[in-house]
Amino acid sequence: MKYLLTAIAIAAALSACSRSSELHESMETMGGSFKAMRNANQGSDIQTHLAEFKAALSIAKAQPVRAEDQAEFDEGMQKLETELAALESALAEGDAEAAAQHMKALGGLRKEYHDALGVK
Ligand code: HEM
């Protein structure tokens, strides 16, 4: 019985780790695509990295975080999606100035929520 409990405890710890690493991995991908979007100066390049960012975001937002952080996390993910949609419209309209503003806002959300959730 003691061994069974130990095994269950280890399995639970491992599954918690793999959950958080999925969040970490998708965030790392978002970080890479975001940087590439910033450096891209051609519309089609931005679109490619934006698609990568979006795919990683949809994985990140599905990951559970600590119960006390969940509401704030969900709120930040929602805001990120709203900004991303606005960025896509600006790019579709060829409005470079608005696109730059939305890129800035995405960076602002990263800082705001990383600070709020204690991400180093
Ligand atoms: C442009 C937007 C964002 C980018 C590019 C981004 C990128 C990253 C990166 C690269 C990491 C790994 C740690 C680090 O190097 O800082 C990370 C971690 C994390 N981010 Fe974001 N992030 C963004 C927005 C957000 C938002 C809005 C939230 C919350 C709503 C969030 C929540 C987290 C959490 C909880 C971690 C820690 C995950 C872990 O490492 O286990 N991020 N992010």
Side-chain angles (χ1 to χ4, degrees):
M1 189 62 188
K2 202 170 136 197
Y3 293 118
L4 181 63
L5 288 177
T6 309
I8 290 171
I10 292 172
L14 283 176
S15 97
C17 281
S18 78
R19 272 208 310 264
S20 85
S21 86
E22 213 158 335
L23 175 60
H24 187 83
E25 263 177 45
S26 48
M27 280 285 164
E28 290 287 358
T29 305
M30 282 165 58
S33 324
F34 190 59
K35 198 169 167 194
M37 276 157 75
R38 274 185 163 153
N39 294 334
N41 43 24
Q42 285 195 335
S44 61
D45 275 357
I46 297 184
Q47 298 286 358
T48 309
H49 299 300
L50 193 139
E52 288 163 7
F53 185 95
K54 255 174 105 168
L57 174 60
S58 72
I59 296 173
K61 72 175 264 203
Q63 305 309 313
V65 293
R66 286 188 310 177
E68 61 268 39
D69 291 338
Q70 193 69 56
E72 201 161 23
F73 178 79
D74 292 345
E75 178 191 275
M77 289 285 129
Q78 183 60 53
K79 287 185 186 171
L80 220 49
E81 285 190 326
T82 306
E83 267 313 319
L84 211 57
L87 172 63
E88 278 184 303
S89 313
L91 289 172
E93 287 160 18
D95 188 341
E97 204 172 306
Q101 287 301 320
H102 293 302
M103 281 296 293
K104 219 172 166 184
L106 285 170
L109 288 171
R110 171 174 61 180
K111 167 131 190 39
E112 180 185 345
Y113 283 90
H114 280 190
D115 284 355
L117 297 169
V119 179
K120 295 191 187 78

